[in-house]
Amino acid sequence: MIDRLRVDISVGVLIPFILGGLAALCVLGMDAALSLGAFSGFSPTAQGYLTAAVTGCAVSGVALLLGRLVLRPIKAFLARAKELPMLKEPAEKMEQARGAEIEALAQMFEHVTHVLGSLDAKALFPGIIGESRALRGVLAQVAKVAPSEATVLLTGESGTGKDLFANTLHTHSKRRDMPFVAVNCAAIPPGLMESELFGHEKGAFTGAIAAKKGKFEQASGGTLFLDEIGDMPVETQAKILRALENGESERVGGDKLIRFNVRLVAATNKNLQEMIGRGEFREDLFHRLNVFPLQLPPLRIRPEDIPLLANHFLERFGPSLALSSEALQLLMAHSWPGNVRELRNTLERAAVLAGEDGVVLPEHLPAQVRLVQASQPQMPVMPESRAKDLDERLQEIEKSLIIAALIKSHGVQVRAAEMLGIKERSLWHRVKKFGLDPASYKRD
């Protein structure tokens, strides 16, 4: 095949020389004819035109005859070149690379739509403290669902801040200027649940000395938050479902239909699907509530938020207090089964014990935090499909320590680097790597 290519290329190169030689012969032939007087009757100008015409006709005729010889090998060469592995393989690789690039862009856009940036999270949700990816992922979902009328079911362990998220959903909804009414279903006796939710008429039962609006009426036009809905009696669940479906109910002891318009947010720390299997929760009510589920992450899977939360709570309980590095390390290592609520109570106690010393020390922390399972370290339970590897865990701890140093130094990187025992340039590289903004830790 290589020899055939050489022949084709050689023919393509020789053709111009053949045509040029033919043109030269035509010119020489015409010159000889003129010298012999063959065209003596013509003027010199006419003889020049005649020479050019004869030469052009001869060259064109030969070119037409040889056209196939010129074009055929070139076309054949180009056709075979497209099939050559050395040219075909790069084209395939380019197509694969283009496909991989498009896929990477799609993944990037999906990432952006599912996780807010730390600056966006601070701007949109200033009342929620934390910069972890797990938390920002939930906030991205909150930003999407809050403006809608969809019912939201908040699930998660006790102490993860379900009431805070419910209030945030209301604040960012179209009903923000209307009432936000919260009901803790676990705190209401079963016999009074219906009266609390739907109200009662005067004399409906002993002690009902006056008519009372229920929570559904009070929240009309706004948001009704039913916390710990898993503790609601089964008989009340049927009435809740009917009220939600029809947008109306009757007060206890009354026969007049009361209409209302509420956006419902429910929350529970129980597994409602397991309760359905045991007959403790109605399946139809679960599907009515589970329109837009939001799983709140426990504190143990977002340890990088602990320094931010600790600083936030200390500013509330003791504005002049600071957290020692040793105490922070203990806070970082604790598993926090009570989540943010436990951390808050721990730091409130520590602020009282620290008093006027100005620094929270390890001895100011509870025993369960100081004795931090050193003998039996446990891997946090991850909601993701796989547990985090060691490198990811170490990066989270490193980021948390840097945030803690920036908090203590009020964003001054020179002081933060001294606290961490590293050079300022090294801290600068780490700040860039983790996408931190030292200016956000400065005090006004």
Side-chain angles (χ1 to χ4, degrees), residues 94-106:
M94 289 177 63
E95 190 66 27
Q96 293 174 358
R98 188 179 295 110
E101 183 179 358
I102 293 173
E103 183 179 356
L105 287 173

Side-chain angles (χ1 to χ4, degrees), residues 134-135 137-139 141-142 152-158 160 162 165 268-271 290 292-298 300-302 383-384:
L135 181 64
V138 175
L139 293 178
Q141 299 299 306
V142 170
V152 179
L153 178 61
L154 301 170
T155 59
E157 299 176 7
S158 178
T160 50
K162 292 186 284 294
F165 275 86
T268 183
N269 60 359
K270 297 183 177 181
N271 190 323
N290 198 43
F292 198 99
L294 277 178
Q295 175 78 29
L296 304 189
R300 63 178 174 274
I301 73 165
R302 51 186 188 106
E384 298 91 355

